[in-house]
Amino acid sequence: MVVETFPDGEIAVRVEEEVSGQDVVVLQTIAREPNNDLMELFIIVDALKRADVKTINAVLPYFGYCRADRKDRPGVAISAKLVANLLTVAGIDRLVTVDLHASQMQGFFDIPVDNLQGHKLLLDIFRKSQGNDCVVVAPNVGSIHVARTYAAALGAGFAVIDRLRMDQQNECHSTLIGDVKGKKVLLADDICSTGVTLASAAKACHEKGAKQVFGAVTHGLFVGEAVSLLESSPLEKLWITNSIPSTEQLRGSEWINTISIARLIANAIRNA
Ligand code: R5P
């Protein structure tokens, strides 16, 4: 298909292949320019519908807006639910995604959702490289569920960081609940955006006597100065997946290791 942007910023899509009666898979990122990426996806889905395809499978390795999945204070939107509604209205028949911020988000849809487990790949690679002898630490309360999954799979100890952050930009204050003294620590989370959560968690673990601090995060957004912030933290190595397109900064980094989820997604498409 041809995707163009008009001078006024509007997006135009033209499907040039014969797709009538076919099962179609649309792979889209909703990460670097989420608003544009989403609008582009809606228009692509509409163009495919009008080209009379049989089914549309949307593959979104990272589900943008996933963190806005509840009304946690007055006056806010539940944007993740809105995106789910818009995807359904646009006409997708099935969603394939990876490590949703909260697996309950599947309930936002009345169509099938495959929430693939990208963190299992990170777990395997960590186990191969560092073994099982570690303490898994949730870098904030919202990461407890994912961190517990890592701890259970590794048979490792568990600790949590109570993070106090005033708004999205502010530096946060972290308090470690648990024991990491003399231990190898794995910080496990689903998303790294500004890097503030991971960097301050790494610092808190280091200050409490952790021997080494590693990290595993499915979705590496790394906005702004995230990479240099993490580089100057006690984090020794970080494993991420390629659910989000890489940046120059990331490609130059030797201590951030990217694991491919291509096979995971290919299998999900094949089994549809
Ligand atoms: C929050 O609930 C997520 O699990 C991550 O901890 C958060 O998105 C990380 O954000 P940042 O890298 O900006 O601190």
Side-chain angles (χ1 to χ4, degrees), residues 62 67 70 101 139-144 146 163 165 168-170 172 188-200 217 219 221-223 226 229-230:
Y62 171 67
R67 284 170 289 182
R70 64 201 177 283
H101 184 57
N140 68 55
V141 175
S143 323
I144 287 181
V146 63
R163 186 192 61 165
R165 176 150 79 170
Q168 293 305 311
Q169 268 79 44
N170 272 357
C172 52
D189 208 343
D190 60 337
I191 300 168
C192 176
S193 179
T194 61
V196 170
T197 304
L198 269 189
S200 59
V217 170
H219 308 292
L221 284 161
F222 301 114
V223 301
L229 180 68
L230 292 168

mmCIF file of all heavy atoms in Angstrom, residues 62 67 70 101 139-144 146 163 165 168-170 172 188-200 217 219 221-223 226 229-230, ligand 1:
data_model
loop_
_atom_site.group_PDB
_atom_site.id
_atom_site.type_symbol
_atom_site.label_atom_id
_atom_site.label_comp_id
_atom_site.label_asym_id
_atom_site.label_seq_id
_atom_site.Cartn_x
_atom_site.Cartn_y
_atom_site.Cartn_z
ATOM 1 N N TYR A 62 3.699 -3.139 20.679
ATOM 2 C CA TYR A 62 3.543 -2.304 21.870
ATOM 3 C C TYR A 62 2.220 -1.568 21.743
ATOM 4 O O TYR A 62 1.981 -0.879 20.747
ATOM 5 C CB TYR A 62 4.700 -1.298 21.996
ATOM 6 C CG TYR A 62 4.478 -0.282 23.089
ATOM 7 C CD1 TYR A 62 4.469 -0.673 24.425
ATOM 8 C CD2 TYR A 62 4.274 1.063 22.801
ATOM 9 C CE1 TYR A 62 4.257 0.247 25.440
ATOM 10 C CE2 TYR A 62 4.071 2.001 23.808
ATOM 11 C CZ TYR A 62 4.059 1.582 25.128
ATOM 12 O OH TYR A 62 3.841 2.493 26.127
ATOM 13 N N ARG A 67 -0.838 2.588 29.444
ATOM 14 C CA ARG A 67 -0.760 2.924 30.869
ATOM 15 C C ARG A 67 -1.985 3.687 31.365
ATOM 16 O O ARG A 67 -2.267 3.710 32.549
ATOM 17 C CB ARG A 67 0.523 3.720 31.153
ATOM 18 C CG ARG A 67 1.748 2.821 31.170
ATOM 19 C CD ARG A 67 3.039 3.594 31.210
ATOM 20 N NE ARG A 67 3.296 4.273 29.945
ATOM 21 C CZ ARG A 67 4.378 4.989 29.684
ATOM 22 N NH1 ARG A 67 5.298 5.126 30.620
ATOM 23 N NH2 ARG A 67 4.543 5.560 28.512
ATOM 24 N N ARG A 70 -7.053 3.061 33.551
ATOM 25 C CA ARG A 70 -8.012 3.163 34.666
ATOM 26 C C ARG A 70 -8.172 4.624 35.050
ATOM 27 O O ARG A 70 -7.305 5.455 34.738
ATOM 28 C CB ARG A 70 -7.510 2.374 35.873
ATOM 29 C CG ARG A 70 -6.216 2.932 36.427
ATOM 30 C CD ARG A 70 -5.466 1.900 37.252
ATOM 31 N NE ARG A 70 -4.198 2.429 37.728
ATOM 32 C CZ ARG A 70 -3.098 2.553 36.979
ATOM 33 N NH1 ARG A 70 -3.119 2.199 35.692
ATOM 34 N NH2 ARG A 70 -1.991 3.043 37.480
ATOM 35 N N HIS A 101 0.321 -3.813 29.475
ATOM 36 C CA HIS A 101 0.646 -3.226 30.777
ATOM 37 C C HIS A 101 -0.157 -3.912 31.888
ATOM 38 O O HIS A 101 0.357 -4.162 32.979
ATOM 39 C CB HIS A 101 0.356 -1.725 30.730
ATOM 40 C CG HIS A 101 0.730 -1.014 31.972
ATOM 41 N ND1 HIS A 101 2.006 -1.047 32.493
ATOM 42 C CD2 HIS A 101 0.000 -0.264 32.830
ATOM 43 C CE1 HIS A 101 2.039 -0.334 33.608
ATOM 44 N NE2 HIS A 101 0.831 0.141 33.832
ATOM 45 N N PRO A 139 10.479 -2.358 40.262
ATOM 46 C CA PRO A 139 10.952 -0.984 40.447
ATOM 47 C C PRO A 139 9.870 0.010 40.835
ATOM 48 O O PRO A 139 10.157 1.154 41.161
ATOM 49 C CB PRO A 139 11.561 -0.626 39.088
ATOM 50 C CG PRO A 139 10.941 -1.559 38.124
ATOM 51 C CD PRO A 139 10.576 -2.799 38.868
ATOM 52 N N ASN A 140 8.607 -0.424 40.787
ATOM 53 C CA ASN A 140 7.525 0.372 41.358
ATOM 54 C C ASN A 140 6.354 -0.557 41.639
ATOM 55 O O ASN A 140 6.351 -1.715 41.196
ATOM 56 C CB ASN A 140 7.135 1.550 40.444
ATOM 57 C CG ASN A 140 6.498 1.105 39.163
ATOM 58 O OD1 ASN A 140 5.510 0.370 39.177
ATOM 59 N ND2 ASN A 140 7.027 1.529 38.035
ATOM 60 N N VAL A 141 5.380 -0.036 42.348
ATOM 61 C CA VAL A 141 4.271 -0.893 42.776
ATOM 62 C C VAL A 141 3.506 -1.456 41.576
ATOM 63 O O VAL A 141 3.067 -2.610 41.586
ATOM 64 C CB VAL A 141 3.347 -0.099 43.739
ATOM 65 C CG1 VAL A 141 2.115 -0.899 44.108
ATOM 66 C CG2 VAL A 141 4.119 0.280 44.999
ATOM 67 N N GLY A 142 3.408 -0.658 40.504
ATOM 68 C CA GLY A 142 2.691 -1.099 39.301
ATOM 69 C C GLY A 142 3.379 -2.275 38.604
ATOM 70 O O GLY A 142 2.786 -2.913 37.736
ATOM 71 N N SER A 143 4.634 -2.538 38.930
ATOM 72 C CA SER A 143 5.382 -3.612 38.262
ATOM 73 C C SER A 143 5.394 -4.897 39.079
ATOM 74 O O SER A 143 6.068 -5.862 38.703
ATOM 75 C CB SER A 143 6.833 -3.186 38.033
ATOM 76 O OG SER A 143 6.931 -1.845 37.699
ATOM 77 N N ILE A 144 4.676 -4.908 40.195
ATOM 78 C CA ILE A 144 4.730 -6.074 41.083
ATOM 79 C C ILE A 144 4.332 -7.355 40.349
ATOM 80 O O ILE A 144 5.007 -8.384 40.457
ATOM 81 C CB ILE A 144 3.840 -5.857 42.341
ATOM 82 C CG1 ILE A 144 4.519 -4.851 43.266
ATOM 83 C CG2 ILE A 144 3.584 -7.169 43.074
ATOM 84 C CD1 ILE A 144 3.772 -4.562 44.554
ATOM 85 N N VAL A 146 4.404 -8.216 37.125
ATOM 86 C CA VAL A 146 5.398 -8.726 36.165
ATOM 87 C C VAL A 146 6.652 -9.218 36.900
ATOM 88 O O VAL A 146 7.207 -10.288 36.571
ATOM 89 C CB VAL A 146 5.701 -7.694 35.044
ATOM 90 C CG1 VAL A 146 6.312 -6.433 35.547
ATOM 91 C CG2 VAL A 146 6.598 -8.276 33.970
ATOM 92 N N ARG A 163 7.823 3.890 44.991
ATOM 93 C CA ARG A 163 8.347 5.037 44.265
ATOM 94 C C ARG A 163 7.395 6.219 44.415
ATOM 95 O O ARG A 163 6.213 6.102 44.151
ATOM 96 C CB ARG A 163 8.464 4.647 42.784
ATOM 97 C CG ARG A 163 9.115 5.633 41.895
ATOM 98 C CD ARG A 163 8.877 5.223 40.460
ATOM 99 N NE ARG A 163 7.455 5.193 40.145
ATOM 100 C CZ ARG A 163 6.951 5.153 38.919
ATOM 101 N NH1 ARG A 163 7.747 5.083 37.888
ATOM 102 N NH2 ARG A 163 5.666 5.169 38.714
ATOM 103 N N ARG A 165 6.556 9.717 42.899
ATOM 104 C CA ARG A 165 6.841 10.649 41.802
ATOM 105 C C ARG A 165 5.688 11.639 41.713
ATOM 106 O O ARG A 165 4.536 11.252 41.625
ATOM 107 C CB ARG A 165 7.002 9.887 40.488
ATOM 108 C CG ARG A 165 7.213 10.813 39.304
ATOM 109 C CD ARG A 165 8.047 10.191 38.216
ATOM 110 N NE ARG A 165 7.317 9.274 37.375
ATOM 111 C CZ ARG A 165 7.811 8.770 36.254
ATOM 112 N NH1 ARG A 165 9.024 9.067 35.867
ATOM 113 N NH2 ARG A 165 7.105 7.953 35.526
ATOM 114 N N GLN A 168 4.885 13.315 35.677
ATOM 115 C CA GLN A 168 5.616 12.504 34.692
ATOM 116 C C GLN A 168 7.077 12.927 34.518
ATOM 117 O O GLN A 168 7.907 12.159 34.075
ATOM 118 C CB GLN A 168 4.891 12.541 33.345
ATOM 119 C CG GLN A 168 3.534 11.862 33.358
ATOM 120 C CD GLN A 168 3.608 10.428 33.850
ATOM 121 O OE1 GLN A 168 4.422 9.646 33.404
ATOM 122 N NE2 GLN A 168 2.767 10.083 34.805
ATOM 123 N N GLN A 169 7.423 14.176 34.814
ATOM 124 C CA GLN A 169 8.793 14.635 34.593
ATOM 125 C C GLN A 169 9.676 14.577 35.842
ATOM 126 O O GLN A 169 10.886 14.402 35.754
ATOM 127 C CB GLN A 169 8.798 16.092 34.077
ATOM 128 C CG GLN A 169 8.792 16.182 32.553
ATOM 129 C CD GLN A 169 7.379 15.955 32.025
ATOM 130 O OE1 GLN A 169 6.429 16.492 32.572
ATOM 131 N NE2 GLN A 169 7.235 15.164 30.982
ATOM 132 N N ASN A 170 9.039 14.753 36.994
ATOM 133 C CA ASN A 170 9.827 14.891 38.225
ATOM 134 C C ASN A 170 10.679 13.686 38.545
ATOM 135 O O ASN A 170 10.304 12.561 38.301
ATOM 136 C CB ASN A 170 8.888 15.133 39.409
ATOM 137 C CG ASN A 170 8.604 16.604 39.581
ATOM 138 O OD1 ASN A 170 9.140 17.428 38.854
ATOM 139 N ND2 ASN A 170 7.754 16.916 40.525
ATOM 140 N N CYS A 172 12.083 10.907 40.995
ATOM 141 C CA CYS A 172 11.283 10.288 42.040
ATOM 142 C C CYS A 172 12.145 9.793 43.185
ATOM 143 O O CYS A 172 13.339 9.585 43.038
ATOM 144 C CB CYS A 172 10.442 9.166 41.458
ATOM 145 S SG CYS A 172 11.358 8.003 40.518
ATOM 146 N N ALA A 188 12.698 -5.898 37.175
ATOM 147 C CA ALA A 188 11.832 -6.371 36.085
ATOM 148 C C ALA A 188 10.630 -5.443 35.928
ATOM 149 O O ALA A 188 9.927 -5.153 36.894
ATOM 150 C CB ALA A 188 11.368 -7.793 36.387
ATOM 151 N N ASP A 189 10.438 -4.967 34.689
ATOM 152 C CA ASP A 189 9.314 -4.060 34.429
ATOM 153 C C ASP A 189 8.800 -4.316 33.015
ATOM 154 O O ASP A 189 9.457 -5.023 32.228
ATOM 155 C CB ASP A 189 9.781 -2.603 34.577
ATOM 156 C CG ASP A 189 8.653 -1.665 34.986
ATOM 157 O OD1 ASP A 189 7.480 -2.053 34.846
ATOM 158 O OD2 ASP A 189 8.943 -0.538 35.420
ATOM 159 N N ASP A 190 7.663 -3.737 32.678
ATOM 160 C CA ASP A 190 7.159 -3.919 31.312
ATOM 161 C C ASP A 190 7.599 -2.794 30.380
ATOM 162 O O ASP A 190 7.825 -3.017 29.202
ATOM 163 C CB ASP A 190 5.620 -4.068 31.301
ATOM 164 C CG ASP A 190 4.903 -2.867 31.875
ATOM 165 O OD1 ASP A 190 5.525 -2.126 32.658
ATOM 166 O OD2 ASP A 190 3.728 -2.661 31.547
ATOM 167 N N ILE A 191 7.741 -1.573 30.923
ATOM 168 C CA ILE A 191 8.045 -0.411 30.059
ATOM 169 C C ILE A 191 9.188 0.400 30.667
ATOM 170 O O ILE A 191 9.248 0.593 31.884
ATOM 171 C CB ILE A 191 6.803 0.512 29.962
ATOM 172 C CG1 ILE A 191 5.614 -0.241 29.370
ATOM 173 C CG2 ILE A 191 7.106 1.755 29.121
ATOM 174 C CD1 ILE A 191 4.294 0.502 29.501
ATOM 175 N N CYS A 192 10.061 0.883 29.780
ATOM 176 C CA CYS A 192 11.016 1.915 30.205
ATOM 177 C C CYS A 192 10.786 3.099 29.287
ATOM 178 O O CYS A 192 10.981 2.995 28.074
ATOM 179 C CB CYS A 192 12.458 1.419 30.106
ATOM 180 S SG CYS A 192 13.626 2.720 30.530
ATOM 181 N N SER A 193 10.363 4.218 29.846
ATOM 182 C CA SER A 193 10.077 5.395 29.025
ATOM 183 C C SER A 193 11.171 6.448 29.239
ATOM 184 O O SER A 193 12.132 6.520 28.480
ATOM 185 C CB SER A 193 8.683 5.934 29.382
ATOM 186 O OG SER A 193 8.401 7.075 28.632
ATOM 187 N N THR A 194 11.078 7.234 30.293
ATOM 188 C CA THR A 194 12.120 8.233 30.566
ATOM 189 C C THR A 194 13.332 7.604 31.257
ATOM 190 O O THR A 194 14.375 8.245 31.356
ATOM 191 C CB THR A 194 11.575 9.329 31.502
ATOM 192 O OG1 THR A 194 11.194 8.712 32.750
ATOM 193 C CG2 THR A 194 10.370 10.031 30.899
ATOM 194 N N GLY A 195 13.174 6.405 31.747
ATOM 195 C CA GLY A 195 14.274 5.726 32.449
ATOM 196 C C GLY A 195 14.361 6.112 33.923
ATOM 197 O O GLY A 195 15.163 5.541 34.669
ATOM 198 N N VAL A 196 13.525 7.063 34.358
ATOM 199 C CA VAL A 196 13.603 7.550 35.738
ATOM 200 C C VAL A 196 13.325 6.423 36.743
ATOM 201 O O VAL A 196 14.051 6.264 37.734
ATOM 202 C CB VAL A 196 12.611 8.730 35.949
ATOM 203 C CG1 VAL A 196 12.483 9.090 37.427
ATOM 204 C CG2 VAL A 196 13.063 9.940 35.150
ATOM 205 N N THR A 197 12.302 5.626 36.457
ATOM 206 C CA THR A 197 11.931 4.545 37.381
ATOM 207 C C THR A 197 13.082 3.556 37.553
ATOM 208 O O THR A 197 13.486 3.229 38.669
ATOM 209 C CB THR A 197 10.684 3.798 36.846
ATOM 210 O OG1 THR A 197 9.648 4.747 36.646
ATOM 211 C CG2 THR A 197 10.217 2.711 37.790
ATOM 212 N N LEU A 198 13.627 3.086 36.423
ATOM 213 C CA LEU A 198 14.711 2.089 36.483
ATOM 214 C C LEU A 198 15.964 2.664 37.121
ATOM 215 O O LEU A 198 16.591 2.016 37.961
ATOM 216 C CB LEU A 198 15.062 1.613 35.073
ATOM 217 C CG LEU A 198 14.354 0.394 34.513
ATOM 218 C CD1 LEU A 198 15.005 -0.015 33.204
ATOM 219 C CD2 LEU A 198 14.410 -0.769 35.493
ATOM 220 N N ALA A 199 16.330 3.894 36.721
ATOM 221 C CA ALA A 199 17.574 4.492 37.239
ATOM 222 C C ALA A 199 17.473 4.694 38.740
ATOM 223 O O ALA A 199 18.413 4.374 39.483
ATOM 224 C CB ALA A 199 17.853 5.817 36.527
ATOM 225 N N SER A 200 16.332 5.205 39.224
ATOM 226 C CA SER A 200 16.254 5.441 40.665
ATOM 227 C C SER A 200 16.127 4.120 41.426
ATOM 228 O O SER A 200 16.622 4.006 42.549
ATOM 229 C CB SER A 200 15.141 6.426 41.030
ATOM 230 O OG SER A 200 13.929 5.945 40.590
ATOM 231 N N VAL A 217 13.223 -5.420 30.635
ATOM 232 C CA VAL A 217 12.039 -4.617 30.334
ATOM 233 C C VAL A 217 11.557 -4.988 28.932
ATOM 234 O O VAL A 217 12.360 -5.007 27.995
ATOM 235 C CB VAL A 217 12.406 -3.109 30.369
ATOM 236 C CG1 VAL A 217 11.266 -2.269 29.836
ATOM 237 C CG2 VAL A 217 12.754 -2.667 31.771
ATOM 238 N N HIS A 219 9.296 -3.402 26.842
ATOM 239 C CA HIS A 219 9.143 -2.314 25.869
ATOM 240 C C HIS A 219 10.089 -1.147 26.184
ATOM 241 O O HIS A 219 9.898 -0.428 27.170
ATOM 242 C CB HIS A 219 7.698 -1.799 25.876
ATOM 243 C CG HIS A 219 6.681 -2.887 25.708
ATOM 244 N ND1 HIS A 219 6.545 -3.591 24.522
ATOM 245 C CD2 HIS A 219 5.755 -3.400 26.559
ATOM 246 C CE1 HIS A 219 5.567 -4.488 24.673
ATOM 247 N NE2 HIS A 219 5.080 -4.400 25.882
ATOM 248 N N LEU A 221 11.022 2.275 25.364
ATOM 249 C CA LEU A 221 10.688 3.513 24.640
ATOM 250 C C LEU A 221 11.897 4.456 24.627
ATOM 251 O O LEU A 221 12.162 5.118 23.627
ATOM 252 C CB LEU A 221 9.504 4.223 25.319
ATOM 253 C CG LEU A 221 8.126 3.611 25.086
ATOM 254 C CD1 LEU A 221 7.133 4.091 26.136
ATOM 255 C CD2 LEU A 221 7.603 3.971 23.699
ATOM 256 N N PHE A 222 12.583 4.550 25.746
ATOM 257 C CA PHE A 222 13.789 5.375 25.897
ATOM 258 C C PHE A 222 13.608 6.771 25.316
ATOM 259 O O PHE A 222 14.251 7.131 24.331
ATOM 260 C CB PHE A 222 14.999 4.691 25.255
ATOM 261 C CG PHE A 222 15.308 3.349 25.837
ATOM 262 C CD1 PHE A 222 15.169 2.199 25.087
ATOM 263 C CD2 PHE A 222 15.729 3.229 27.156
ATOM 264 C CE1 PHE A 222 15.440 0.947 25.624
ATOM 265 C CE2 PHE A 222 16.003 1.982 27.709
ATOM 266 C CZ PHE A 222 15.862 0.839 26.942
ATOM 267 N N VAL A 223 12.737 7.532 25.895
ATOM 268 C CA VAL A 223 12.518 8.896 25.402
ATOM 269 C C VAL A 223 13.541 9.847 26.014
ATOM 270 O O VAL A 223 14.095 9.594 27.089
ATOM 271 C CB VAL A 223 11.072 9.384 25.687
ATOM 272 C CG1 VAL A 223 10.049 8.479 25.027
ATOM 273 C CG2 VAL A 223 10.799 9.493 27.168
ATOM 274 N N ALA A 226 16.830 9.187 28.335
ATOM 275 C CA ALA A 226 16.715 7.920 29.082
ATOM 276 C C ALA A 226 18.000 7.096 29.039
ATOM 277 O O ALA A 226 18.463 6.605 30.083
ATOM 278 C CB ALA A 226 15.546 7.099 28.543
ATOM 279 N N LEU A 229 20.750 8.603 31.131
ATOM 280 C CA LEU A 229 20.363 8.518 32.543
ATOM 281 C C LEU A 229 20.644 7.113 33.087
ATOM 282 O O LEU A 229 21.202 6.934 34.168
ATOM 283 C CB LEU A 229 18.869 8.851 32.684
ATOM 284 C CG LEU A 229 18.282 8.818 34.088
ATOM 285 C CD1 LEU A 229 18.852 9.949 34.933
ATOM 286 C CD2 LEU A 229 16.763 8.935 34.044
ATOM 287 N N LEU A 230 20.275 6.108 32.292
ATOM 288 C CA LEU A 230 20.483 4.726 32.718
ATOM 289 C C LEU A 230 21.967 4.370 32.719
ATOM 290 O O LEU A 230 22.441 3.633 33.580
ATOM 291 C CB LEU A 230 19.703 3.766 31.817
ATOM 292 C CG LEU A 230 18.173 3.876 31.956
ATOM 293 C CD1 LEU A 230 17.474 3.122 30.837
ATOM 294 C CD2 LEU A 230 17.727 3.344 33.309
HETATM 295 C C1 R5P B 1 4.559 1.991 35.016
HETATM 296 O O1 R5P B 1 3.556 1.548 35.570
HETATM 297 C C2 R5P B 1 5.441 1.152 34.164
HETATM 298 O O2 R5P B 1 5.428 -0.191 34.583
HETATM 299 C C3 R5P B 1 6.860 1.684 34.141
HETATM 300 O O3 R5P B 1 7.418 1.538 35.422
HETATM 301 C C4 R5P B 1 6.923 3.129 33.739
HETATM 302 O O4 R5P B 1 6.199 3.342 32.583
HETATM 303 C C5 R5P B 1 8.359 3.563 33.540
HETATM 304 O O5 R5P B 1 8.368 4.906 33.176
HETATM 305 P P1 R5P B 1 9.686 5.774 33.193
HETATM 306 O O6 R5P B 1 10.752 5.034 32.431
HETATM 307 O O7 R5P B 1 9.294 7.065 32.521
HETATM 308 O O8 R5P B 1 10.070 6.007 34.606
#
